C-alpha cells in the first residue's frame, strides 16, 4: 500500500537520525500528549463551577445561602425553585464559584439535582443537627440517591456535610452524625442492592462503597468532609453566622 513509495525516504530518515535524537523526539511527543490530556481534564473541571446546596426541607440551606452571599440574616420560606449567585472567596477576588440553592422538598429535589448535577464542582449537603435523630432515615435516603448517581460518581465532586443549627443545645455533633449516616447508608445499601432500581452505565446497580465491607465515607470516589456550622449564629438575627469551616472549605475548592 502506502508504505511502498515512502519506504526509501523513511529508510534514509532513519539513517540520518541518530537513535538518541529519535528517542528524545518520541519523549517530547509523549510529554506533549500528556499535557494535552491534562489540559482537557482540568478544563472539564474548571467548567464545573457550581456548588450545589442540597438537603431536606428546613435544614437551613436558604439561610446559609443568604448568609454566605450577604452576611445578613433573613427570614426564609421553603424554596420551590433554585436560586443561584456568584460567591467570591473573601481572600482571593479572582476565585469564585456559583452557589446554587436547590429545593429540599421531597417531590422536587431529585429533578433539580438532575438538572444541575453535571455542573457540580462540589456539593454541600446541609443537615439539621437538631432534628437529625428524627430525620436520619430521610437524610440517608436522599444522600444515598445523590451518591449512587452515575454522573456524581463519575465527576466525583468534593462533598461537604454541613451539620447546621449548632447554636441549639440539642444539636448532634458532626462525629455522631457521620457515624449514624454511615450505619444508615450501610443498611440502605443492603436493602437497595437487593432491589434492582438504579442502573449505572455498566447495566448493574451502582454499588455504594466497597463490597463485603461496612460502608464508610472514605470508600467513596470523592473527598468527603464534615463541618459543624450555624447559619443563624449564636447571637441569632443580630449577630453573624458561625460557619468558618464552611468558608474555609469553599475557599479550598474554588
Amino acid at each position: 500500500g502506502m508504505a511502498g513509495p515512502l519506504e526509501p525516504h523513511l529508510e534514509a530518515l532513519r539513517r540520518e537520525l541518530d537513535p538518541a535524537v529519535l528517542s528524545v523526539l518520541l519523549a517530547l511527543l509523549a510529554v506533549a500528549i500528556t499535557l494535552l490530556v491534562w489540559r482537557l481534564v482540568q478544563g472539564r473541571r474548571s467548567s464545573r463551577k457550581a456548588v450545589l446546596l442540597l438537603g431536606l426541607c428546613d435544614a437551613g440551606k436558604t439561610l446559609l445561602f443568604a448568609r454566605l452571599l450577604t452576611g445578613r440574616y433573613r427570614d426564609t420560606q421553603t424554596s420551590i425553585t433554585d436560586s443561584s449567585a456568584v460567591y467570591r472567596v473573601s481572600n482571593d477576588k479572582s476565585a469564585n464559584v456559583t452557589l446554587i440553592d436547590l429545593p429540599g422538598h421531597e417531590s422536587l429535589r431529585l429533578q433539580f439535582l438532575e438538572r444541575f448535577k453535571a455542573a457540580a464542582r462540589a456539593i454541600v449537603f446541609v443537615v439539621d443537627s437538631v432534628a437529625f435523630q428524627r430525620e436520619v432515615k430521610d437524610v440517608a435516603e436522599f444522600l444515598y440517591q445523590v451518591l449512587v448517581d452515575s454522573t456524581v460518581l463519575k465527576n466525583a465532586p468534593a462533598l461537604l456535610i454541613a451539620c447546621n443549627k449548632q447554636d441549639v443545645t440539642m444539636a448532634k455533633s458532626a462525629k455522631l452524625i457521620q457515624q449514624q449516616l454511615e450505619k444508615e447508608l450501610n443498611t440502605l445499601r443492603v436493602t437497595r442492592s437487593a432491589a434492582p432500581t438504579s442502573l449505572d452505565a455498566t447495566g448493574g446497580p451502582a454499588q455504594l462503597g466497597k463490597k463485603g465491607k461496612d460502608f464508610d465515607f472514605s470508600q467513596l470516589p470523592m473527598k468527603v468532609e464534615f463541618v459543624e456550622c450555624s447559619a443563624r449564629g449564636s447571637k441569632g438575627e443580630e449577630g453573624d453566622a458561625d460557619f468558618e469551616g464552611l468558608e474555609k472549605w469553599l475557599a479550598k475548592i474554588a
Side-chain angles (χ1 to χ4, degrees):
M2 273 298 292
L6 287 173
E7 199 55 58
H9 299 291
L10 288 173
E11 198 44 56
L13 194 63
R14 250 182 235 121
R15 277 202 302 271
E16 293 281 310
L17 280 177
D18 190 300
V21 175
L22 193 62
S23 59
V24 167
L25 283 175
L26 287 172
L28 285 172
L29 187 65
V31 169
I33 290 170
T34 310
L35 277 174
L36 191 67
V37 170
W38 186 79
R39 284 290 295 275
L40 284 170
V41 170
Q42 282 304 99
R44 279 191 52 205
R45 184 180 172 274
S46 59
S47 69
R48 294 203 301 267
K49 291 284 279 185
V51 177
L52 308 185
L53 292 177
L54 305 178
L56 303 187
C57 273
D58 297 328
K61 296 184 301 301
T62 306
L63 180 56
L64 211 52
F65 176 76
R67 285 284 217 178
L68 280 167
L69 294 167
T70 67
R72 287 192 296 276
Y73 180 89
R74 67 182 176 90
D75 285 321
T76 59
Q77 272 91 39
T78 298
S79 316
I80 51 167
T81 183
D82 57 283
S83 316
S84 64
V86 173
Y87 170 77
R88 294 189 193 288
V89 175
S90 46
N91 54 9
D92 178 1
K93 287 288 167 271
S94 64
N96 62 62
V97 290
T98 305
L99 284 183
I100 307 180
D101 172 29
L102 302 189
H105 196 280
E106 200 175 345
S107 60
L108 299 171
R109 56 188 181 223
L110 288 177
Q111 72 192 54
F112 278 95
L113 176 65
E114 194 58 44
R115 191 181 304 173
F116 292 107
K117 64 188 183 185
R121 169 176 295 198
I123 292 173
V124 178
F125 192 94
V126 186
V127 175
D128 180 338
S129 313
V130 181
F132 179 72
Q133 216 67 56
R134 189 176 71 242
E135 295 180 342
V136 62
K137 281 191 164 39
D138 294 339
V139 172
E141 179 97 19
F142 184 24
L143 189 54
Y144 179 89
Q145 288 169 317
V146 174
L147 295 175
V148 295
D149 183 280
S150 52
T151 306
V152 174
L153 283 171
K154 185 173 100 249
N155 292 344
L159 173 63
L160 183 75
I161 312 275
C163 306
N164 192 22
K165 307 195 183 179
Q166 291 290 327
D167 55 295
V168 182
T169 339
M170 302 292 290
K172 299 286 175 274
S173 71
K175 194 164 180 49
L176 182 113
I177 288 173
Q178 178 173 350
Q179 289 165 349
Q180 297 255 336
L181 278 178
E182 286 177 340
K183 217 162 76 185
E184 203 60 49
L185 285 166
N186 196 47
T187 310
L188 265 176
R189 178 175 70 162
V190 177
T191 53
R192 286 300 172 84
S193 58
T197 44
S198 78
L199 297 181
D200 70 3
T202 58
Q207 171 72 32
L208 191 66
K210 292 199 177 12
K211 241 186 167 66
K213 277 195 161 161
D214 280 350
F215 172 77
D216 69 65
F217 283 103
S218 68
Q219 297 164 3
L220 293 170
M222 69 282 286
K223 190 167 167 44
V224 185
E225 293 176 59
F226 281 73
V227 296
E228 295 182 354
C229 62
S230 163
R232 226 185 114 75
S234 51
K235 297 193 178 66
E237 299 164 26
E238 277 69 67
D240 291 331
D242 177 13
F243 49 32
E244 212 178 307
L246 172 59
E247 290 178 308
K248 278 200 182 115
W249 183 84
L250 284 168
K252 193 169 64 181
I253 59 109

